[in-house]
Amino acid sequence: MSEDLRTEELEAALNMIRRSITQTASSCGRDPNAITLVAASKTVDSTRLQQAIDSGQRVLGENRVQEAREKWPAIRERNPHIELHLIGPLQSSKARDAVVLFDVIQSIDSEKLARVIARECERTEVSPSLLIQVNTSREPQKGGVMAEDDRRIELLHTNVRKHVTISSNVAKTVKHDGTISHAE
């Protein structure tokens, strides 16, 4: 398959997803511009990522720190406007790299990890936005911090953007301003 055809298919897929987001948001009374499409780039090579960027995708997510370390510095050098999210779990031992590599870390699931990230932010003078995963259902098989602990984590970081809560049937996003959105 030629690169031109692959690029056209990628552009068509992205446009279809964007139209779907716009239609769904409008039907729910939400502003489609308030929704961010984070394109997951797990195992996607640099050439294909550049095609997505050239097709207008500006927010990308990587779920492995080591994979991001290998491919993103060169991509970001060519595309400084890109916002990169860590969308997978983060081990404390990889926090140093994550703080420097990512604009947003979506996987703060423990107070210990929050403290490690706070130290790395102070050490590097870099402050990515953070999302805290909160286990509101208190189910042991679910990840995240307990609801009573999320405020302690928030106090460690001034750059917490929102809390993502995990329960049996409902995922809630609690924005920093206190507004809540639900998805069942």
Side-chain angles (χ1 to χ4, degrees), residues 111-132:
E111 188 173 346
K112 174 188 174 201
L113 179 58
R115 288 185 187 286
V116 170
I117 290 173
R119 281 194 305 272
E120 290 305 322
C121 287
E122 187 175 315
R123 188 187 68 74
T124 60
E125 297 182 2
V126 175
S127 295
S129 294
L130 307 172
L131 280 69
I132 301 171

Side-chain angles (χ1 to χ4, degrees), residues 142-158:
K142 304 277 187 210
V145 301
M146 294 300 136
E148 61 271 14
D149 297 330
D150 73 329
R151 183 69 181 139
R152 286 199 315 261
I153 292 173
E154 191 173 334
L155 292 172
L156 293 170
H157 300 277
T158 57

Side-chain angles (χ1 to χ4, degrees), residues 36-42 44 49 53 57-77 79-88 97-107 126-131 161:
T36 302
L37 171 60
V38 180
S41 61
K42 178 181 177 184
V44 176
L49 289 172
I53 293 165
Q57 185 60 37
R58 298 291 177 259
V59 182
L60 294 115
E62 192 70 60
N63 75 327
R64 295 180 185 261
V65 174
Q66 58 274 25
E67 192 172 338
R69 190 178 336 125
E70 293 168 11
K71 66 183 173 186
W72 279 101
I75 295 170
R76 292 189 86 170
E77 190 172 308
N79 305 280
H81 57 282
I82 294 305
E83 182 175 292
L84 185 59
H85 291 225
L86 175 60
I87 57 175
D97 286 336
V99 164
V100 175
L101 285 167
F102 296 97
D103 300 299
V104 178
I105 299 174
Q106 293 191 8
S107 47
V126 175
S127 295
S129 294
L130 307 172
L131 280 69
R161 275 209 325 214

